[in-house]
Amino acid sequence: MQERQLAQRAAQILYDHKAQDIVGLRVMHLTVVTDYLVIASGTNTLHVRALREYLENELAKEGVTRRRVEGETLGRWVALDYASVIVHIFHPEERAFY
């Protein structure tokens, strides 16, 4: 799956599971860390955790596995690293702060 397709697919999975305020950003001209960022919000800590799980499971079915995950324990935010795409899922309060 190409980078842009992966970012679009991640956004679609999040949308299908009721994520809010989904934004996809092409950042390859700004950083060497990744090509795309996908940012979304869950409605509460349980929803943030569920979105992470849905995203990982759906992408795994398509043969895409994450390299790393950060922040998943508290359910306030999570960052999933798919190399060329990084997905951030925030609790609304954390999203407003950052």
Side-chain angles (χ1 to χ4, degrees):
M1 190 177 298
Q2 297 293 326
E3 295 87 1
R4 182 177 178 170
Q5 292 172 318
L6 177 55
Q8 289 172 330
R9 183 66 182 124
Q12 184 64 53
I13 292 167
L14 293 169
Y15 176 81
D16 291 345
H17 290 92
K18 311 294 188 221
Q20 299 178 342
D21 302 321
I22 303 166
V23 177
L25 302 169
R26 182 176 170 261
V27 296
M28 63 181 66
H29 60 289
L30 299 172
T31 182
V32 297
V33 175
T34 192
D35 294 337
Y36 291 89
L37 289 175
V38 177
I39 304 167
S41 296
T43 55
N44 55 49
T45 57
L46 184 60
H47 192 210
V48 170
R49 288 181 182 151
L51 288 169
R52 179 205 51 85
E53 186 176 324
Y54 288 129
L55 181 66
E56 283 187 297
N57 290 339
E58 291 301 312
L59 290 178
K61 288 178 190 175
E62 298 174 28
V64 179
T65 56
R66 66 170 166 78
R67 292 180 357 177
R68 293 184 51 154
V69 64
E70 295 290 334
E72 65 184 325
T73 55
L74 296 177
R76 303 295 290 183
W77 65 273
V78 63
L80 299 139
D81 181 356
Y82 289 95
S84 59
V85 177
I86 295 178
V87 180
H88 287 269
I89 306 170
F90 288 95
H91 184 280
E93 291 173 5
E94 267 61 28
R95 174 106 179 238
F97 181 78
Y98 291 105

